Amino acid sequence: MIRGVVLGRNVVMSYATLALIVFGCFTFAGCRASRTSSIPDKQVPEGDPILGRAIVASGAHGCTGCHAIPGIRGRRGVVGPPLGGMAQRSFIAGQLPNTPNVLIEFLQDPPALVPQTGMPDVRVSLEEARHIAAYLYTLEAPD
Amino acid sequence: MIRDSRSVPLLACVMLASCAGRQSALDPAGSSAASIHQLGIIMYIGASAVTLLVGVLMLVPFMRNNDRRVNRKLFLWTGVLLPAVTLMALVPYVLAVGHETRVPRSPNQLSIDVTGSQYWWSMSYWHTSELTGITTANELRLPAGEPVELSLRSNDVIHSFWAPNLAGKTDMIPGRVTRMVIQADRPGIYRGQCAEYCGLQHSLMAFDVMVLPRREFDDWLARLTQPVREPPTPELQQGRDLFVSIGCGECHTVRDVVESRRGPDLTQVGARRTIGAGTLPGGVGNIAAWIASAQHLKPGNAMRSYDQLEGPQLRALAAYLESLK
């Protein structure tokens, strides 16, 4: 009797765990980027962080080849700086003030703003740059 | 996770989702793969039927009256004759499956040398019997609807050439040439992979198969025989000069610039869908990432990380390579 009850509970627990995993799989992908930056002066009005995350995660521009970006699968790039905690950082590329407008401009053509940078112009459009900036400002610094 | 039987439906969903695709034996795009797929279907259905039959037969003793005698002929029919007949029918059929890859060579047939190295592929195109001098890497282009002969070699350890949508696996053995004929009927982009564990980066030893209509294929071949144009901008020229001066030509070839067969041919690297034999998608960003951190992205591959360049140098080099199309 007791054995049966314990088994039954185990089964229920396992189903609950499974349901949680499935639910998690469907929702986790979007949850890091589902809100805008928590810092007031790092808001990007026309930028959608979810779209920005999709652009970065697609690998089309090769962001993760050089940068470690928390929450994006794959090897963590070591060529450029890690992008976790981007909203708290003072400078872009160690030189430019970290404001949304500067970041958007930098993303579209890094060498134009920082001639000595190693970051190539990866042909990000203005619209994409807005989404990516909005996404980057949601990234938290790793502990 | 697989030990937990309740995760099986989840696993089944994941597996079904991968049935159709660029690298799937369940989505054949050529005659050899189609016949293997057909055999597969027969085997899945047959094995399911046998499992069901055995399951039912196991239940029979529990359903019947104990005092009735067992019909011994049943053993003979289902235990001996049925398997014997099934196997006798299957063996000749199975021996014939996939033989599309063994057809004899015909004149005027396109022939491609595919050489596997730790962890990349080299493809050289031959026209009938004379070498056209066209070599690419990590990308196999085929004309649709034509048999193409592949001569498979290995430079180091045993590799295996496998493009599941087109044909079964064929091993590449050091010191030997293995041959196979593949035919892709449906234009498209497929993915192949090394199918014999070959070392640390075995899983990142992939290639794309681009199946093109004959005319596009011929255009592509013709383009590759034309001389490479001079880089049009100062930045690209700087990139080309750097490419030569820092010694990329010790391993790589860019036609009319440097020549070495130790590493992948880069004459068309900017047109490739992936960098590092499937490690990263193509594009100037990832090319720069690869140059600067090849050992981080694919540890143990033969290229070192060129991480001592200045920013503008890295950009120029990446831009030059991306311009090679």
Side-chain angles (χ1 to χ4, degrees), chain B residues 173-242:
Chain B
I173 318 251
R176 282 178 61 176
V177 182
T178 40
R179 289 172 197 283
M180 72 187 292
V181 174
I182 58 171
Q183 179 172 339
D185 295 321
R186 187 151 43 92
I189 298 169
Y190 308 99
R191 188 173 184 274
Q193 202 167 5
C194 179
E196 179 71 44
Y197 180 74
C198 61
L200 195 57
Q201 293 301 339
H202 164 66
S203 62
L204 286 179
M205 182 172 167
F207 58 95
D208 281 308
V209 185
M210 329 276 270
V211 180
L212 309 169
R214 181 78 216 197
R215 183 189 298 262
E216 281 179 41
F217 178 80
D218 287 338
D219 287 349
W220 171 75
L221 268 188
R223 258 207 318 283
L224 265 179
T225 47
Q226 286 157 14
V228 176
R229 69 197 164 93
E230 181 74 1
T233 69
E235 192 197 25
L236 297 181
Q237 278 161 15
Q238 188 204 346
R240 195 261 326 267
D241 296 345
L242 261 169

Coordinates of all heavy atoms in Angstrom, one line a residue, chain B residues 173-242:
Chain B
I173 N 40.4 5.9 -46.5 CA 41.4 5.2 -45.8 C 42.8 5.7 -46.3 O 43.0 5.8 -47.5 CB 41.3 3.7 -46.2 CG1 39.8 3.3 -46.2 CG2 42.2 2.8 -45.3 CD1 39.4 2.4 -45.1
P174 N 43.7 6.0 -45.3 CA 45.0 6.5 -45.7 C 45.7 5.5 -46.6 O 45.7 4.3 -46.4 CB 45.7 6.6 -44.4 CG 44.7 6.7 -43.4 CD 43.5 6.0 -43.9
G175 N 46.3 6.0 -47.7 CA 47.0 5.1 -48.6 C 46.1 4.4 -49.6 O 46.6 3.6 -50.4
R176 N 44.9 4.6 -49.6 CA 44.0 4.0 -50.6 C 43.1 5.0 -51.2 O 42.8 6.1 -50.6 CB 43.1 2.9 -49.9 CG 43.9 1.6 -49.6 CD 43.0 0.6 -48.9 NE 41.8 0.3 -49.7 CZ 40.9 -0.7 -49.3 NH1 41.1 -1.3 -48.2 NH2 39.9 -1.0 -50.0
V177 N 42.5 4.7 -52.4 CA 41.5 5.5 -53.0 C 40.2 4.7 -53.0 O 40.2 3.7 -53.6 CB 41.9 5.9 -54.4 CG1 40.9 6.9 -55.0 CG2 43.3 6.6 -54.4
T178 N 39.2 5.2 -52.3 CA 37.9 4.6 -52.4 C 37.0 5.4 -53.4 O 37.1 6.6 -53.4 CB 37.2 4.5 -51.0 OG1 37.5 5.7 -50.3 CG2 37.8 3.3 -50.3
R179 N 36.2 4.7 -54.1 CA 35.4 5.4 -55.1 C 33.9 5.3 -54.8 O 33.5 4.2 -54.3 CB 35.7 4.8 -56.5 CG 37.1 5.2 -57.0 CD 37.4 4.5 -58.3 NE 38.8 4.6 -58.5 CZ 39.5 5.7 -59.0 NH1 38.8 6.7 -59.3 NH2 40.8 5.7 -59.1
M180 N 33.2 6.3 -55.2 CA 31.8 6.1 -55.1 C 31.2 7.1 -56.2 O 31.8 8.0 -56.6 CB 31.2 6.5 -53.7 CG 31.3 8.0 -53.4 SD 30.8 8.3 -51.6 CE 29.1 7.9 -51.6
V181 N 30.0 6.7 -56.6 CA 29.3 7.6 -57.6 C 28.1 8.1 -56.9 O 27.3 7.3 -56.3 CB 28.9 6.8 -58.8 CG1 28.1 7.6 -59.8 CG2 30.2 6.3 -59.5
I182 N 27.9 9.4 -56.8 CA 26.7 9.9 -56.3 C 25.9 10.7 -57.3 O 26.5 11.3 -58.2 CB 26.9 10.8 -55.0 CG1 27.8 12.0 -55.3 CG2 27.5 10.0 -53.9 CD1 27.9 12.9 -54.1
Q183 N 24.7 10.8 -57.1 CA 23.8 11.6 -58.0 C 22.8 12.3 -57.1 O 22.1 11.7 -56.3 CB 23.1 10.6 -59.0 CG 22.2 11.4 -59.9 CD 21.7 10.6 -61.0 OE1 22.2 9.5 -61.4 NE2 20.6 11.0 -61.6
A184 N 22.7 13.6 -57.3 CA 21.7 14.4 -56.6 C 20.7 14.8 -57.6 O 21.0 15.4 -58.6 CB 22.4 15.6 -56.0
D185 N 19.4 14.5 -57.3 CA 18.4 14.8 -58.3 C 17.7 16.1 -58.0 O 17.1 16.7 -58.9 CB 17.3 13.7 -58.3 CG 18.0 12.4 -58.8 OD1 18.8 12.4 -59.7 OD2 17.7 11.3 -58.2
R186 N 17.8 16.6 -56.8 CA 17.0 17.7 -56.4 C 18.0 18.9 -56.0 O 18.8 18.7 -55.1 CB 16.2 17.4 -55.1 CG 15.2 18.4 -54.6 CD 14.0 17.7 -53.9 NE 14.3 16.6 -53.0 CZ 14.5 16.7 -51.7 NH1 14.5 17.9 -51.2 NH2 14.8 15.7 -51.0
P187 N 18.0 20.0 -56.8 CA 18.9 21.1 -56.4 C 18.6 21.6 -55.0 O 17.5 21.5 -54.6 CB 18.5 22.2 -57.4 CG 17.9 21.5 -58.6 CD 17.2 20.3 -58.0
G188 N 19.6 22.0 -54.3 CA 19.4 22.5 -53.0 C 20.8 22.4 -52.2 O 21.8 22.1 -52.8
I189 N 20.7 22.8 -51.0 CA 21.9 22.8 -50.1 C 21.8 21.7 -49.1 O 20.8 21.6 -48.4 CB 22.1 24.1 -49.4 CG1 22.3 25.2 -50.5 CG2 23.3 24.1 -48.5 CD1 22.2 26.6 -50.0
Y190 N 22.7 20.8 -49.1 CA 22.7 19.7 -48.1 C 24.0 19.8 -47.3 O 24.9 20.5 -47.6 CB 22.6 18.3 -48.8 CG 21.4 18.3 -49.8 CD1 21.6 18.5 -51.1 CD2 20.1 18.2 -49.3 CE1 20.5 18.5 -52.0 CE2 19.1 18.2 -50.2 CZ 19.3 18.4 -51.5 OH 18.2 18.4 -52.4
R191 N 24.0 19.0 -46.2 CA 25.1 19.1 -45.3 C 25.7 17.7 -45.2 O 24.9 16.7 -45.0 CB 24.7 19.6 -44.0 CG 25.9 19.9 -43.0 CD 25.4 20.6 -41.8 NE 26.4 21.0 -40.8 CZ 26.9 20.2 -39.9 NH1 26.5 19.0 -39.8 NH2 27.9 20.6 -39.1
G192 N 27.0 17.6 -45.2 CA 27.7 16.3 -45.0 C 28.6 16.4 -43.9 O 28.9 17.5 -43.4
Q193 N 29.1 15.3 -43.4 CA 29.9 15.3 -42.2 C 30.8 14.1 -42.2 O 30.5 13.1 -42.8 CB 29.0 15.2 -41.0 CG 29.6 15.7 -39.7 CD 28.6 15.9 -38.6 OE1 27.4 15.6 -38.8 NE2 29.1 16.5 -37.5
C194 N 31.9 14.2 -41.5 CA 32.8 13.0 -41.3 C 32.1 12.1 -40.4 O 31.5 12.5 -39.4 CB 34.1 13.5 -40.7 SG 35.2 12.0 -40.4
A195 N 32.0 10.8 -40.8 CA 31.2 9.8 -40.1 C 32.1 8.7 -39.4 O 31.6 7.7 -39.1 CB 30.2 9.2 -41.0
E196 N 33.4 9.0 -39.3 CA 34.3 8.1 -38.7 C 35.1 8.9 -37.7 O 35.8 9.8 -38.1 CB 35.2 7.4 -39.7 CG 36.2 6.4 -39.1 CD 35.5 5.1 -38.6 OE1 34.6 4.6 -39.3 OE2 35.8 4.7 -37.5
Y197 N 35.0 8.6 -36.4 CA 35.7 9.4 -35.4 C 37.2 9.6 -35.8 O 37.9 8.6 -36.0 CB 35.6 8.8 -34.0 CG 36.3 9.7 -33.0 CD1 35.7 10.9 -32.6 CD2 37.5 9.3 -32.5 CE1 36.4 11.7 -31.7 CE2 38.1 10.1 -31.6 CZ 37.6 11.3 -31.2 OH 38.2 12.1 -30.3
C198 N 37.6 10.9 -35.9 CA 38.9 11.1 -36.5 C 39.8 12.0 -35.6 O 40.9 12.3 -35.9 CB 38.8 11.7 -37.9 SG 38.0 13.3 -37.9
G199 N 39.3 12.3 -34.4 CA 40.1 13.1 -33.5 C 39.2 14.2 -32.8 O 38.0 14.2 -32.9
L200 N 39.9 15.1 -32.1 CA 39.3 16.0 -31.2 C 38.2 16.8 -31.9 O 37.1 17.0 -31.3 CB 40.4 17.0 -30.7 CG 40.1 17.9 -29.5 CD1 39.7 17.1 -28.3 CD2 41.3 18.8 -29.2
Q201 N 38.4 17.3 -33.1 CA 37.4 18.1 -33.8 C 36.6 17.3 -34.8 O 36.1 17.9 -35.8 CB 38.0 19.3 -34.4 CG 38.6 20.3 -33.3 CD 37.5 20.8 -32.4 OE1 36.3 20.7 -32.6 NE2 37.9 21.2 -31.2
H202 N 36.4 16.0 -34.6 CA 35.6 15.2 -35.6 C 34.2 15.8 -35.8 O 33.7 15.9 -36.9 CB 35.5 13.8 -35.0 CG 34.5 13.0 -35.6 ND1 34.5 12.6 -36.9 CD2 33.3 12.5 -35.1 CE1 33.4 11.9 -37.2 NE2 32.7 11.8 -36.1
S203 N 33.6 16.3 -34.7 CA 32.2 16.8 -34.9 C 32.2 18.2 -35.7 O 31.2 18.5 -36.2 CB 31.6 17.0 -33.5 OG 32.3 18.0 -32.8
L204 N 33.3 18.9 -35.8 CA 33.4 20.1 -36.6 C 34.1 19.8 -37.9 O 34.9 20.6 -38.3 CB 34.0 21.2 -35.8 CG 33.2 21.8 -34.6 CD1 33.9 22.9 -33.9 CD2 31.9 22.4 -35.2
M205 N 33.9 18.7 -38.5 CA 34.5 18.4 -39.8 C 33.3 18.2 -40.7 O 32.9 17.0 -41.0 CB 35.4 17.2 -39.7 CG 36.0 16.9 -41.0 SD 37.2 15.5 -40.8 CE 37.5 15.1 -42.6
A206 N 32.7 19.3 -41.2 CA 31.5 19.2 -42.0 C 31.7 19.8 -43.3 O 32.8 20.5 -43.5 CB 30.3 19.8 -41.3
F207 N 30.8 19.6 -44.2 CA 30.9 20.3 -45.5 C 29.5 20.6 -46.1 O 28.6 19.9 -45.6 CB 31.7 19.5 -46.5 CG 31.2 18.1 -46.8 CD1 30.4 17.9 -47.9 CD2 31.6 17.1 -46.0 CE1 29.9 16.6 -48.1 CE2 31.1 15.8 -46.2 CZ 30.3 15.5 -47.2
D208 N 29.4 21.5 -46.9 CA 28.1 21.8 -47.6 C 28.1 21.1 -49.0 O 29.1 21.1 -49.6 CB 27.9 23.3 -47.8 CG 27.4 23.9 -46.5 OD1 26.4 23.4 -45.9 OD2 28.0 24.9 -46.1
V209 N 27.0 20.6 -49.4 CA 26.8 20.1 -50.7 C 25.9 21.0 -51.4 O 24.7 21.1 -51.0 CB 26.3 18.6 -50.8 CG1 26.2 18.1 -52.2 CG2 27.1 17.7 -49.9
M210 N 26.3 21.7 -52.4 CA 25.5 22.6 -53.2 C 25.1 21.9 -54.5 O 26.0 21.8 -55.3 CB 26.1 24.0 -53.5 CG 27.1 24.4 -52.4 SD 26.4 25.2 -51.0 CE 26.4 26.9 -51.6
V211 N 23.9 21.5 -54.6 CA 23.4 20.9 -55.9 C 22.8 22.0 -56.7 O 21.8 22.6 -56.4 CB 22.4 19.8 -55.6 CG1 22.0 19.1 -56.9 CG2 23.1 18.7 -54.7
L212 N 23.4 22.2 -57.9 CA 23.0 23.3 -58.8 C 22.5 22.7 -60.1 O 23.0 21.7 -60.5 CB 24.2 24.2 -59.1 CG 25.0 24.7 -57.9 CD1 26.3 25.4 -58.4 CD2 24.2 25.7 -57.2
P213 N 21.6 23.5 -60.8 CA 21.3 23.1 -62.1 C 22.5 23.1 -63.0 O 23.4 24.0 -62.7 CB 20.3 24.2 -62.6 CG 19.8 24.7 -61.3 CD 20.8 24.6 -60.3
R214 N 22.6 22.3 -64.0 CA 23.8 22.1 -64.8 C 24.4 23.5 -65.3 O 25.6 23.7 -65.2 CB 23.6 21.2 -66.0 CG 24.8 21.0 -66.9 CD 25.7 20.0 -66.3 NE 27.1 20.3 -66.5 CZ 28.1 19.4 -66.4 NH1 27.8 18.2 -66.0 NH2 29.3 19.7 -66.6
R215 N 23.5 24.4 -65.8 CA 24.0 25.6 -66.3 C 24.7 26.5 -65.2 O 25.8 27.0 -65.4 CB 22.8 26.4 -66.9 CG 23.2 27.7 -67.5 CD 22.0 28.5 -67.9 NE 21.1 27.8 -68.8 CZ 21.1 28.0 -70.1 NH1 21.8 28.9 -70.6 NH2 20.3 27.4 -70.9
E216 N 24.1 26.5 -64.1 CA 24.7 27.3 -63.0 C 26.0 26.6 -62.5 O 27.0 27.3 -62.2 CB 23.8 27.3 -61.7 CG 22.7 28.4 -61.9 CD 21.8 28.3 -60.6 OE1 22.3 28.2 -59.5 OE2 20.5 28.4 -60.8
F217 N 26.1 25.3 -62.6 CA 27.3 24.6 -62.2 C 28.4 25.0 -63.2 O 29.6 25.3 -62.8 CB 27.0 23.1 -62.2 CG 28.3 22.3 -61.8 CD1 28.7 22.2 -60.5 CD2 29.0 21.7 -62.9 CE1 29.8 21.5 -60.2 CE2 30.1 21.0 -62.6 CZ 30.6 20.9 -61.3
D218 N 28.1 24.9 -64.5 CA 29.1 25.3 -65.5 C 29.6 26.7 -65.4 O 30.8 27.0 -65.5 CB 28.5 25.0 -66.9 CG 28.4 23.6 -67.2 OD1 29.1 22.8 -66.6 OD2 27.6 23.2 -68.1
D219 N 28.6 27.6 -65.1 CA 29.0 29.0 -64.9 C 30.0 29.1 -63.7 O 31.0 29.9 -63.8 CB 27.8 29.9 -64.5 CG 26.9 30.1 -65.8 OD1 27.4 29.7 -66.9 OD2 25.8 30.6 -65.6
W220 N 29.7 28.4 -62.7 CA 30.6 28.4 -61.5 C 32.0 27.9 -61.8 O 33.0 28.5 -61.5 CB 29.9 27.6 -60.3 CG 30.8 27.5 -59.2 CD1 31.2 28.4 -58.2 CD2 31.5 26.3 -58.8 NE1 32.0 27.9 -57.3 CE2 32.3 26.6 -57.6 CE3 31.6 25.0 -59.3 CZ2 33.1 25.6 -57.0 CZ3 32.4 24.1 -58.7 CH2 33.1 24.4 -57.6
L221 N 32.0 26.8 -62.5 CA 33.3 26.2 -62.9 C 34.1 27.2 -63.8 O 35.3 27.4 -63.6 CB 33.1 24.9 -63.7 CG 33.1 23.6 -62.9 CD1 33.1 22.4 -63.9 CD2 34.3 23.5 -62.0
A222 N 33.4 27.8 -64.7 CA 34.0 28.7 -65.6 C 34.6 29.9 -64.9 O 35.7 30.4 -65.1 CB 33.0 29.2 -66.7
R223 N 33.8 30.4 -63.9 CA 34.3 31.6 -63.1 C 35.5 31.3 -62.4 O 36.4 32.1 -62.2 CB 33.2 32.0 -62.1 CG 32.3 33.2 -62.5 CD 31.8 33.9 -61.3 NE 31.2 33.1 -60.2 CZ 30.1 32.5 -60.2 NH1 29.3 32.6 -61.3 NH2 29.7 31.8 -59.2
L224 N 35.7 30.0 -62.0 CA 36.8 29.7 -61.2 C 38.1 29.5 -62.0 O 39.2 29.4 -61.4 CB 36.5 28.3 -60.4 CG 36.0 28.5 -59.0 CD1 35.8 27.2 -58.4 CD2 37.0 29.3 -58.2
T225 N 37.9 29.4 -63.3 CA 39.1 29.3 -64.1 C 39.7 30.7 -64.6 O 40.8 30.8 -65.1 CB 38.9 28.4 -65.4 OG1 37.7 28.9 -66.0 CG2 38.8 27.0 -65.0
Q226 N 38.8 31.7 -64.4 CA 39.3 33.0 -64.7 C 40.3 33.6 -63.7 O 40.2 33.2 -62.6 CB 38.1 34.0 -64.8 CG 37.2 33.8 -66.0 CD 35.8 34.3 -65.8 OE1 35.5 35.0 -64.9 NE2 34.9 33.9 -66.7
P227 N 41.2 34.5 -64.1 CA 42.1 35.0 -63.2 C 41.5 35.8 -62.1 O 40.4 36.4 -62.3 CB 43.0 35.9 -64.1 CG 42.3 36.1 -65.4 CD 41.4 35.0 -65.5
V228 N 42.1 35.8 -60.9 CA 41.5 36.5 -59.8 C 41.8 38.0 -60.0 O 42.9 38.3 -60.3 CB 42.1 36.0 -58.5 CG1 41.6 36.8 -57.3 CG2 41.8 34.5 -58.3
R229 N 40.8 38.8 -59.8 CA 41.0 40.3 -60.1 C 41.8 40.9 -58.9 O 41.8 40.4 -57.8 CB 39.7 41.0 -60.3 CG 38.8 41.0 -59.1 CD 37.4 41.4 -59.4 NE 36.6 41.0 -58.3 CZ 36.3 41.9 -57.3 NH1 36.7 43.2 -57.4 NH2 35.5 41.6 -56.3
E230 N 42.5 42.0 -59.3 CA 43.2 42.8 -58.3 C 42.2 43.4 -57.3 O 41.2 43.8 -57.7 CB 44.0 43.9 -59.0 CG 44.8 44.8 -58.2 CD 46.1 44.1 -57.7 OE1 46.4 42.9 -58.1 OE2 46.9 44.8 -57.0
P231 N 42.6 43.3 -56.0 CA 41.6 44.0 -55.0 C 41.4 45.4 -55.3 O 42.3 46.2 -55.6 CB 42.4 43.8 -53.7 CG 43.4 42.8 -53.9 CD 43.7 42.7 -55.3
P232 N 40.1 45.8 -55.4 CA 39.8 47.2 -55.9 C 40.0 48.3 -54.9 O 40.2 49.4 -55.4 CB 38.3 47.1 -56.2 CG 37.8 45.9 -55.4 CD 38.9 45.0 -55.1
T233 N 40.0 48.1 -53.6 CA 40.2 49.2 -52.7 C 41.5 49.1 -51.9 O 42.1 48.0 -51.8 CB 39.1 49.2 -51.7 OG1 39.2 48.1 -50.8 CG2 37.7 49.2 -52.3
P234 N 42.0 50.2 -51.4 CA 43.3 50.2 -50.6 C 43.2 49.2 -49.5 O 44.2 48.5 -49.2 CB 43.5 51.6 -50.2 CG 42.6 52.4 -51.0 CD 41.5 51.6 -51.5
E235 N 42.0 49.2 -48.8 CA 41.9 48.3 -47.6 C 42.1 46.8 -48.1 O 42.8 46.0 -47.4 CB 40.6 48.5 -46.9 CG 40.6 47.8 -45.5 CD 39.2 47.6 -44.9 OE1 38.2 47.5 -45.7 OE2 39.1 47.5 -43.7
L236 N 41.4 46.5 -49.2 CA 41.5 45.1 -49.6 C 43.0 44.8 -50.1 O 43.4 43.6 -49.9 CB 40.5 44.8 -50.7 CG 39.1 45.0 -50.4 CD1 38.2 44.7 -51.6 CD2 38.7 44.1 -49.2
Q237 N 43.6 45.8 -50.7 CA 45.0 45.5 -51.1 C 45.9 45.3 -49.9 O 46.8 44.4 -49.9 CB 45.5 46.7 -51.9 CG 45.1 46.6 -53.4 CD 45.2 48.0 -54.1 OE1 45.8 48.9 -53.6 NE2 44.5 48.1 -55.2
Q238 N 45.6 46.1 -48.8 CA 46.4 46.0 -47.6 C 46.2 44.5 -47.1 O 47.1 43.9 -46.6 CB 46.0 47.0 -46.6 CG 46.8 47.0 -45.3 CD 46.1 47.6 -44.1 OE1 45.0 48.2 -44.2 NE2 46.6 47.4 -42.9
G239 N 44.9 44.1 -47.1 CA 44.6 42.8 -46.7 C 45.3 41.7 -47.4 O 45.9 40.8 -46.9
R240 N 45.4 41.9 -48.8 CA 46.1 40.9 -49.6 C 47.6 40.9 -49.3 O 48.1 39.8 -49.1 CB 45.8 41.3 -51.1 CG 46.2 40.2 -52.1 CD 47.6 40.4 -52.7 NE 47.9 41.7 -52.9 CZ 47.7 42.4 -54.0 NH1 47.1 41.9 -55.1 NH2 48.1 43.7 -54.1
D241 N 48.1 42.1 -49.1 CA 49.6 42.2 -48.8 C 49.9 41.5 -47.4 O 50.9 40.8 -47.3 CB 50.0 43.6 -48.8 CG 49.9 44.2 -50.2 OD1 49.7 43.5 -51.1 OD2 49.9 45.5 -50.3
L242 N 49.0 41.7 -46.5 CA 49.1 41.1 -45.2 C 49.0 39.6 -45.3 O 49.8 38.9 -44.7 CB 48.0 41.6 -44.2 CG 48.3 42.7 -43.2 CD1 47.1 43.2 -42.6 CD2 49.3 42.2 -42.2

